Amino acid sequence: MIKVITYGTYDLLHYGHIRLLERAKALGDYLIVGVTAEDFDKVRGKINVQQSLMERVEAVRSTGIADEIIIEEYEGQKLDDIKRYDVDIFTVGSDWIGHFDYLKEFCKVVYLPRTEGVSSSGLRSEKRSLSLGLVGETEFLNKVAQECGFVNGIHVGGICAKSTAFMSDALRELPVITDDYEEMAEKVDAIYLRSQPAEHYGQIKLALERGKHVLCESPVVLDRGKYRELQRLADEKGIILMEAIKTAYATAYSRLLLLLKEGKIGEVVSVDATCTSIKSIEGSLQWDGLYEWGPTALLPIFQILGTNYMEKTVVIKYQDEERRHDGFVKADFVYPKAVASMKVGNAVKSEGELVVSGTEGYLYVPAPWWKTDYFEIRYEDRSKNKRYFYQLDGEGIRYELVAFARATEKGRDVAANIDHEVTEHIAGVMEDICEGKGIRLI
Ligand code: CTP
């Protein structure tokens, strides 16, 4: 039996891909297709690929041409695969002529003529780029703008802020700079909100009513009913309202959720998340600790244990006599078979770690866990301990933008890493705390 192998990204599968696969198959009896996981286009410096890895794998599978589909995850894998699968022929399109000659030592290398006139890049460039309007007064928006530069299909079209002091040169050169939210909403396709959480509700409503998609830094709103109302409005209009918590899009974080689901530490009994930073509350532009950190710390709690907790107790230490600014907040949750705690604040410093304890072992993410590229799973028998390393691109913001751009294109937030239910419960915790429900002060 002659085994053939070929590799590609297969984004927006087209006629050129299918013709290549057919000819590759015809070279032998058994065709293995390697779909590349990598979506960063080194030549163009962007995340260009429009479809997720699973969508691309499915597209290749649906052609019915491949006998086996594998995923290409690391450099040097081609050689490993050729040996592992005992491959006779390696083939790719003629755009790669010469590039894979080094494999000739191990198998036959065939460059098939490329089909003229069609390419993934061509198909991608026919798509319109989403113009994103930034709203808020913080340096964080400079990072968002920078990360947009790495994502194909989305660009910053304007900014709405009362001051320009925090803006990088790139933001100062935007075509729309205004302090009038309505004016900006008119001129862009989508909004990135990083304004004060109390302003979100009105701003989101206005944007949705005008058909503009919204990516909103969490907490999206400070009231679960209002969140439900906004999400309903977005659904009715076929518009995207997505919660932004960059950690949800960090590769290490999403992988650790999968490992927990697989039962790597047995049954989860406790989730403890701490996020703190000491920041002055001078001026009104800074978010308080609860808003700044609460959603991030609640994320693993709700994503690992779900939202059906039976009991919640919250203790707050305010920074000022008037109780306008919280300095430290500790919330404890009791579930039927587990517990969780979040410790957040911007007037207290602690170890920013995430610990998930289970019946067989525990998962440890060192500080700062919310932007980590590394974690460990530890057991009683230390020889079984495992360390996991991942690439952290753009602190997660980059992939958050990719998910948002894809969602707007599809009209559904299938690519989002945060469920509506989690967003609603984060809003609910904020609501209870703002209303002083079940809160103890120290
Ligand atoms: N291919 C081809 N004819 C085309 C396009 C692609 O034969 N018109 C081949 C490539 O040579 C490669 C395989 O299909 O062997 C997968 O290509 P891929 O890089 O995924 O697709 P492109 O359309 O070339 O993507 P891009 O425009 O991003 O380079």
Side-chain angles (χ1 to χ4, degrees), residues 6-11 14 16-17 19-20 23 41 44 91-96 112-122 124:
T6 187
Y7 295 85
T9 312
Y10 305 104
D11 190 27
H14 54 69
H17 293 144
R19 279 205 59 215
L20 183 112
R23 285 172 294 152
D41 185 333
R44 301 175 186 93
T91 183
V92 278
S94 51
D95 40 331
W96 295 102
L112 291 166
R114 199 180 147 89
T115 306
E116 292 300 318
V118 60
S119 72
S120 300
S121 316
R124 284 190 294 252

Side-chain angles (χ1 to χ4, degrees), residues 7 9 82 99 128 185 286 352 368 378 407 442:
Y7 295 85
T9 312
I82 287 167
H99 198 85
R128 227 183 124 249
Q286 198 66 251
R378 296 177 179 170
I442 52 167

Side-chain angles (χ1 to χ4, degrees), residues 271-288:
V271 178
D272 301 280
T274 305
C275 308
T276 63
S277 55
I278 294 193
K279 275 189 189 160
S280 115
I281 50 163
E282 285 304 303
S284 60
L285 304 182
Q286 198 66 251
W287 284 19
D288 280 335

